[in-house]
Amino acid sequence: MPFPAPSTSSTAAAARSKSMLSLLSLLFLVFSLAIYPASWVFAHYYVGNKTACFSDVCNHVKANKFSSIRKNLALFYSFLALTAVLALAAKYITSIRRFAAIRPLRKSTVNLGEIIWFTLAMFTVVFAVPATNWAAFYSIKEPQAAKGKWQWIHVIFEVLAWLSGDAASVILGLAFLPATKYSAVNDALGLPYSSTARVHGWLGFGALWVVLSHVTTGLLDEQWDSPGFLTLLFVPVQDEEGNSPWGDENYLFVFGNWAVISLIVVVLTSLKVVRRNAYNVFYLAHFLVILVVLFSYFHSSMSIFFAIPGE
């Protein structure tokens, strides 16, 4: 028995529903894309604003950090813009898409597009960010280097701690970018989930190494002034009266330490052996990223500027 033909009214309702869904999808995509330039504008003009800072170290209100933070923001968002251009080129230009899809490793699905993007990302983090700010940071501490024979080593460690902190903020911002299976931005750019998920994992491990270098140089810098410097990881600095007022760099290492511990747990539970044998552990541990962002912000205000687009 033949099925009855759908009525004209039901067909029109289905068409309206589909049109409304398409409109909502388009609006959501526009909103998702607008977050990126809006975040840059907000962060750029928020630098120097002394209100609404809840960090122990409000870097963005220190005059000697204005330029470096804005340079880092320019590098970060320029790299995101370059990513979008390259992704769209691969999406619409066949020759570029085929080149990016080449798999240089015989027994791996890793392609050239992923390798090139990750290489550019690490170059930006490890070389471009430090190179942009090295001269400015060193000039601040150069007079101190002339005070003693070995004082310049102290200055080098301190400058490296600053630079690695900037690099850590940038790579964590990249790692926080959407890597989910259903992402309006990634779909619009033609980025497959397999690639975004894989690169997200690489960025996570890269972020851990950059963060550990920040911790190491920070502790090497601090040991010049504090013989018991390792206690700073768990106990806030106290003044002569035994107090530890907030906002005076007394909790710098404590919250930095807890951010690192949270990140270590997230990264270690992301190992393939954990994902395959205890997926729920991997899934639930990823919620610790919230603590990574929160503790990083309490540690230093500038870290939140690079996390905004991914949050």
Side-chain angles (χ1 to χ4, degrees):
M1 180 177 179
F3 292 101
S7 64
T8 304
S9 60
S10 63
T11 303
R16 286 196 299 270
S17 177
K18 185 176 181 179
S19 298
M20 181 61 68
L21 183 61
S22 299
L23 178 61
L24 290 175
S25 299
L26 178 61
L27 291 174
F28 181 72
L29 174 60
V30 171
F31 174 76
S32 299
L33 291 173
I35 287 176
Y36 293 87
S39 299
W40 187 0
V41 171
F42 167 77
H44 181 85
Y45 287 104
Y46 188 71
V47 172
N49 190 325
K50 297 182 179 180
T51 61
C53 178
F54 305 100
S55 301
D56 185 45
V57 181
C58 295
N59 298 71
H60 72 281
V61 303
K62 296 181 178 181
N64 59 11
K65 291 287 288 183
F66 288 0
S67 177
S68 66
I69 293 176
R70 284 177 172 163
K71 287 178 182 177
N72 292 339
L73 286 168
L75 283 170
F76 179 72
Y77 286 100
S78 296
F79 181 75
L80 294 186
L82 175 63
T83 298
V85 170
L86 293 177
L88 289 174
K91 181 178 181 180
Y92 293 107
I93 302 176
T94 304
S95 58
I96 296 178
R97 182 168 63 253
R98 289 176 177 173
F99 175 77
I102 294 174
R103 297 177 179 178
L105 304 177
R106 184 175 301 177
K107 296 183 179 180
S108 174
T109 58
V110 174
N111 60 50
L112 277 181
E114 297 164 1
I115 295 173
I116 292 172
W117 187 90
F118 181 71
T119 301
L120 290 174
M122 293 308 297
F123 177 83
T124 301
V125 169
V126 178
F127 295 104
V129 170
T132 303
N133 300 301
W134 170 269
F137 285 176
Y138 188 78
S139 64
I140 296 171
K141 290 295 178 178
E142 192 171 13
Q144 182 181 337
K147 291 182 179 180
K149 183 177 180 181
W150 299 105
Q151 197 65 24
W152 65 274
I153 299 180
H154 182 192
V155 170
I156 293 296
F157 282 141
E158 187 167 5
V159 172
L160 287 175
W162 286 357
L163 294 174
S164 59
D166 287 2
S169 296
V170 172
I171 194 172
L172 284 172
L174 293 174
F176 292 152
L177 293 175
T180 56
K181 187 172 292 187
Y182 305 105
S183 168
V185 174
N186 291 343
D187 288 345
L189 296 177
L191 297 174
Y193 170 68
S194 59
S195 293
T196 58
R198 180 157 35 224
V199 172
H200 170 74
W202 294 349
L203 287 171
F205 282 97
L208 179 59
W209 285 109
V210 174
V211 167
L212 289 177
S213 70
H214 176 53
V215 173
T216 302
T217 52
L219 289 176
L220 287 173
D221 164 44
E222 197 64 29
Q223 65 91 20
W224 287 80
D225 303 316
S226 306
F229 65 97
L230 287 177
T231 61
L232 296 175
L233 295 174
F234 305 97
V235 181
V237 177
Q238 296 181 346
D239 58 24
E240 295 178 354
E241 299 178 354
N243 299 320
S244 301
W246 182 258
D248 197 25
E249 302 188 14
N250 294 318
Y251 297 84
L252 177 69
F253 283 95
V254 173
F255 279 104
N257 179 43
W258 285 112
V260 173
I261 290 175
S262 301
L263 181 61
I264 289 174
V265 173
V266 171
V267 172
L268 291 183
T269 55
S270 299
L271 293 172
K272 186 180 292 187
V273 64
V274 178
R275 296 200 313 271
R276 288 184 173 179
N277 297 286
Y279 182 82
N280 287 338
V281 173
F282 155 75
Y283 177 79
L284 293 174
H286 255 62
F287 284 99
L288 289 176
V289 169
I290 298 173
L291 295 182
V292 174
V293 175
L294 189 63
F295 291 150
S296 296
Y297 173 69
F298 287 152
H299 167 74
S300 168
S301 62
M302 69 168 290
S303 62
I304 198 68
F305 297 149
F306 303 92
I308 293 174
E311 298 303 306

